[in-house]
């Protein structure tokens, strides 16, 4: 199955087959740079165009779905939404996305990450989050929501990465203090493995999730398609982790 790397447009955090990416749409003229015949991604709900304020030069995210002029978060100067868009959203080419001119918001195990969180260097958080591997911070006045502190560069990298198709929304995983690389649905990952090898890999991945483990294995190893397992790999330590969706 074809990957972005094979097309010459690699993503460090996305090595899964292209057909699993929800925002890739083929080739067109980029709305941001105007270059023709570029591989492109659609920015829409939850995405932003990243623009420096013409007055104070501070980086701002403009909502790619509303596409309204927006006051600068620093000086209040109105920043024009001048990028051409289409019915389905703003078309952004690979180069512009990788240069950080667009941001694709991600949901993660530590809460949402959009451009605001990337600038603050933390995830939006989830209620009552507990983790020993990461430094945490409260993210609401009541102290219930706990986010994780992460370097800006890792969070921005996540926003410059395509989203994968899921039934109920992606939940990106982390390891070694950074986002893991999405390598695909279990079916495509396990396709190259023998039966025993596949079971072995599954056992390693699911150590965090012992409770749901037997029926998840049943779901992914049968033809029923009742469970969809999304697999990540840490490029630092090589570990695999996964989470799943049920229909
Ligand atoms: Zn472009
Ligand atoms: Zn400004
Ligand atoms: Zn790791």
């Amino acid at each position: 199955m074809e990957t972005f790397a094979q097309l010459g447009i690699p993503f460090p955090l996305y090595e899964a087959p292209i057909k699993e990416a929800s925002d890739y749409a083929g080739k067109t003229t980029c709305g941001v740079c105007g270059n023709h015949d570029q591989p492109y991604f659609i920015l829409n709900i939850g995405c932003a165009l990243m623009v420096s304020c013409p007055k104070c030069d501070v980086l701002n995210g403009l909502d790619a779905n509303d596409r309204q002029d927006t006051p600068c978060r620093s000086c209040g100067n109105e920043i024009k939404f001048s990028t051409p868009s289409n019915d389905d959203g703003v078309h952004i080419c690979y180069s512009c996305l990788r240069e950080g001119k667009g941001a694709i918001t991600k949901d993660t195990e530590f809460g949402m990450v959009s451009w605001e969180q990337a600038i603050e260097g933390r995830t939006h958080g989830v209620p009552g989050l507990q983790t020993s591997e990461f430094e945490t911070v409260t993210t609401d006045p009541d102290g219930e929501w706990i986010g994780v502190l992460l370097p800006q560069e890792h969070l921005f990298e996540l926003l410059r990465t395509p989203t994968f198709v899921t039934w109920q929304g992606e939940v990106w995983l982390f390891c070694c203090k950074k986002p893991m690389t999405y390598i695909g649905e279990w079916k495509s990952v396990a396709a190259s493995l023998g039966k025993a090898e596949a079971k072995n890999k599954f056992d390693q991945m699911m150590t965090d999730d012992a409770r749901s483990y037997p029926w998840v294995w049943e779901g992914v190893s049968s033809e029923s398609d009742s469970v969809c397992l999304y697999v990540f790999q840490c490029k630092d330590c090589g570990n695999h982790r996964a989470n799943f969706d049920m229909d």
Side-chain angles (χ1 to χ4, degrees):
M1 273 172 285
E2 197 170 38
T3 62
F4 288 118
Q6 287 162 349
L7 273 193
I9 53 168
F11 289 93
L13 299 184
Y14 188 106
E15 292 182 354
I18 291 174
K19 68 175 178 61
E20 289 187 39
S22 61
D23 26 31
Y24 178 68
K27 284 191 171 179
T28 195
T29 300
C30 174
V32 179
C33 68
N35 286 342
H36 300 298
D37 202 28
Q38 299 297 309
Y40 80 106
F41 297 79
I42 297 171
L43 299 179
N44 203 322
I45 297 171
C47 302
L49 269 183
M50 300 307 296
V51 178
S52 292
C53 171
K55 211 163 171 187
C56 74
D57 212 33
V58 162
L59 189 64
N60 282 262
L62 307 187
D63 190 312
N65 187 43
D66 296 348
R67 301 170 217 157
Q68 307 279 327
D69 300 345
T70 308
C72 169
R73 66 188 173 93
S74 176
C75 73
N77 168 53
E78 190 98 320
I79 303 173
K80 288 251 170 296
F81 194 103
S82 53
T83 305
S85 62
N86 301 67
D87 288 346
D88 57 356
V90 176
H91 296 170
I92 188 169
C93 75
Y94 171 79
S95 307
C96 286
L97 179 62
R98 296 302 297 160
E99 284 168 24
K101 294 176 179 165
I104 304 174
T105 295
K106 295 285 183 306
D107 204 1
T108 81
E109 60 180 324
F110 302 139
M112 201 107 96
V113 176
S114 60
W115 66 272
E116 289 101 326
Q117 283 77 42
I119 285 171
E120 285 173 27
R122 61 166 180 84
T123 64
H124 187 254
V126 286
L129 175 75
Q130 289 185 342
T131 164
S132 50
E133 199 196 332
F134 293 84
E135 202 181 327
T136 58
V137 61
T138 9
T139 60
D140 72 329
D142 298 335
E144 285 169 16
W145 286 63
I146 314 289
V148 160
L149 296 172
L150 288 158
Q152 280 189 340
E153 54 178 301
H154 294 329
L155 295 175
F156 274 116
E157 182 59 47
L158 195 53
L159 302 178
R160 295 165 190 173
T161 298
T163 304
F164 55 93
V165 181
T166 57
W167 292 337
Q168 300 181 30
E170 86 288 356
V171 180
W172 213 278
L173 300 179
F174 294 80
C175 185
C176 294
K177 305 203 186 297
K178 55 199 238 197
M180 297 178 83
T181 296
Y182 179 64
I183 60 168
E185 266 182 46
W186 173 252
K187 283 208 167 82
S188 60
V189 173
S192 59
L193 305 175
K195 213 169 181 183
E197 216 182 336
K199 182 67 167 66
N200 236 330
K201 178 131 286 177
F202 181 84
D203 289 351
Q204 288 167 16
M205 288 188 321
M206 298 302 281
T207 45
D208 310 5
D209 214 342
R211 217 157 31 98
S212 44
Y213 168 106
W215 60 262
V216 173
W217 173 248
E218 203 160 294
V220 296
S221 56
S222 73
E223 295 299 310
S224 70
D225 278 331
S226 58
V227 177
C228 197
L229 192 66
Y230 309 105
V231 185
F232 294 81
Q233 186 181 27
C234 174
K235 292 295 169 182
D236 280 13
C237 72
N239 252 352
H240 287 82
R241 292 179 64 207
N243 51 29
F244 58 88
D245 245 0
M246 297 171 296
D247 67 2

